[in-house]
Amino acid sequence: MCGIAGIIRKRGTASVTVQQLVTMSGSLTHRGPDDEGFVFGNHDGVTCYFGKNHAGSGNHPLPYSPLKPVSDAPQDFVFGFAHRRLSIIDLTAGGHQPMCDPTQQYWITFNGEVYNYIELREELRSLGHQFISESDTEVVLTAYKRWGINCVSRFNGMWAFCIYDGPAQTCFASRDRFGVKPFYYANTQQTFVFGSEQKAFVAAGITPARANAGALADYIVNVQLEQRPANFFESITELWPGHNLSLDMRTGNVEVNRYYHLSEHINLSNEGLSEKALTEVINYKLEEAVKLRLRSDVEVGACLSGGIDSSVLCGYINKLNQQPLHCFTSVFRQTGINEEAFADAMALTAGAIHKKTQPSAE
């Protein structure tokens, strides 16, 4: 989990400030405590800056290594990106964000993980592209340069990102197929602002802390949550799962398009399989999916409820992992739905390091 935020000025007189983006980033610290970075671009070019929690640039500064504090950023910026990093892939300074390509014409702030980044990187290398980091972020950015907005169809993962495309003078944002990673935005005649959480907008004074009456009614009366892009906060819109967003920085126009339709991927190819054959297919698919998601430069843990889903996943992780699995369980011992015994049984079977917490009403 990382935190992303950004401000794009559609008109030169927009009143948004550098400090507002800094405040947005600060409100997302819990999403990424390992590093903080900023970039601001204007007619003089794009410059990197570091925040309070900067992890350092290492021994070999890269094109996106920040050398100045964000307090030095120009107030006449055209666009600004912020990033709060939780280091998962490439723990070095090479994984710092916002990140750029070698030409420094394309910039990205990215939250998520593209699990097939190794295969995509090899394909891109075969097409002549070079890489300076081991991060999946650089693969996402290079894939965009190579394939444009169609790059997302090649990603196996979860993501929310925004790319500044200097040559085209556009900003391209995308959210993964099922909306695992969040992306919110506020669009006015003067500015386009985006972030990982609604409270970042409110904290920075971008939008007021007013409830959306329609969304509130849907929740209280109809018990419906996130049924439409307009969410609980007035003036804040959610980029829907499986959608892309493009902002033309010359005209200020914003277009949102759907790139993924689940219905197009549903078929009856498994209908003729026997129970044994179907079980083998499910087993293979699950194991391959878990194996891909174990790619990490830090330890991988699991939330273990004691139910079938999390127990199955823990079983696969235990089978594929070379080190003891850390499992985390919330237990509710004073209720009639306590599944602690099932979680204990699974953790024991997997030889896991089992950690429990007992949340109280307070």
Side-chain angles (χ1 to χ4, degrees):
M1 180 171 70
C2 293
I4 63 173
I7 296 175
I8 295 96
R9 285 175 166 168
K10 297 181 184 180
R11 305 288 184 268
T13 57
S15 59
V16 288
T17 65
V18 168
Q19 184 55 46
Q20 284 179 293
L21 186 57
V22 172
T23 301
M24 291 183 75
S25 176
S27 72
L28 301 173
T29 302
H30 59 285
R31 300 185 65 91
D34 297 332
D35 193 13
E36 181 182 36
F38 300 86
V39 295
F40 288 92
N42 56 24
H43 301 297
D44 295 325
V46 183
T47 306
C48 310
Y49 301 89
F50 57 81
K52 292 181 179 179
N53 300 91
H54 180 43
S57 301
N59 297 324
H60 304 286
L62 300 165
Y64 48 90
S65 296
L67 302 176
K68 301 178 180 180
V70 70
S71 56
D72 289 352
Q75 291 295 341
D76 64 338
F77 67 91
V78 175
F79 84 95
F81 285 175
H83 189 267
R84 300 293 320 208
R85 186 183 183 200
L86 179 67
S87 304
I88 302 294
I89 302 294
D90 190 350
L91 308 185
T92 71
H96 174 81
Q97 292 188 56
M99 181 183 289
C100 68
D101 75 315
T103 69
Q104 300 186 47
Q105 292 184 303
Y106 299 84
W107 292 84
I108 184 173
T109 182
F110 168 62
N111 170 31
E113 190 172 348
V114 172
Y115 303 115
N116 62 331
Y117 75 100
I118 294 176
E119 291 79 6
L120 287 173
R121 185 169 59 201
E122 290 309 307
E123 182 180 357
L124 289 162
R125 277 178 174 154
S126 71
L127 294 171
H129 296 276
Q130 296 181 331
F131 293 84
I132 57 178
S133 77
E134 297 298 320
S135 73
D136 56 337
T137 306
E138 188 178 10
V139 173
V140 171
L141 187 57
T142 308
Y144 171 78
K145 285 185 63 179
R146 182 73 193 189
W147 297 304
I149 63 175
N150 295 323
C151 64
V152 296
S153 65
R154 297 171 178 261
F155 298 158
N156 181 345
M158 52 183 180
W159 66 83
F161 64 76
C162 188
I163 293 174
Y164 167 71
D165 183 333
Q169 280 297 285
T170 60
C171 280
F172 171 67
S174 180
R175 191 176 179 199
D176 62 74
R177 297 172 181 87
F178 297 104
V180 179
K181 293 302 177 184
F183 190 100
Y184 298 95
Y185 65 92
N187 183 33
T188 71
Q189 287 189 337
Q190 289 193 322
T191 58
F192 178 87
V193 184
F194 67 87
S196 295
E197 297 182 17
Q198 298 111 314
K199 69 179 180 184
F201 298 78
V202 176
I206 302 293
T207 58
R210 284 202 299 264
N212 179 331
L216 204 58
D218 277 347
Y219 180 64
I220 296 174
V221 178
N222 302 318
V223 199
Q224 293 182 337
L225 184 64
E226 292 191 322
Q227 294 298 307
R228 51 188 174 183
N231 58 92
F232 273 128
F233 284 86
E234 192 178 281
S235 305
I236 301 177
T237 305
E238 181 177 356
L239 181 61
W240 221 228
H243 282 68
N244 293 332
L245 181 151
S246 295
L247 165 65
D248 187 324
M249 298 179 69
R250 298 187 183 94
T251 65
N253 291 334
V254 172
E255 290 188 4
V256 177
N257 297 292
R258 184 173 181 176
Y259 69 85
Y260 181 75
H261 298 262
L262 179 61
S263 59
E264 296 176 357
H265 299 269
I266 296 174
N267 58 63
L268 302 177
S269 60
N270 292 325
E271 286 294 297
L273 297 180
S274 66
E275 185 174 336
K276 182 177 183 297
L278 189 58
T279 302
E280 290 174 353
V281 169
I282 293 172
N283 179 63
Y284 173 77
K285 291 285 189 180
L286 267 172
E287 185 165 323
E288 288 300 302
V290 172
K291 185 186 300 181
L292 203 61
R293 283 155 179 77
L294 289 177
R295 288 177 170 174
S296 173
D297 293 329
V298 295
E299 287 187 271
V300 176
C303 294
L304 175 62
S305 69
I308 292 176
D309 295 348
S310 63
S311 297
V312 166
L313 293 178
C314 287
Y316 279 108
I317 295 172
N318 180 57
K319 175 184 176 181
L320 297 167
N321 228 5
Q322 301 301 313
Q323 53 190 335
L325 172 65
H326 289 262
C327 291
F328 301 84
T329 303
S330 293
V331 297
F332 303 88
R333 291 174 179 155
Q334 308 306 317
T335 71
I337 56 171
N338 184 15
E339 295 185 323
E340 183 179 5
F342 301 110
D344 286 341
M346 185 64 229
L348 182 63
T349 301
I353 300 169
H354 195 193
K355 302 176 182 180
K356 304 178 190 179
T357 181
Q358 296 183 62
S360 66
E362 290 74 26

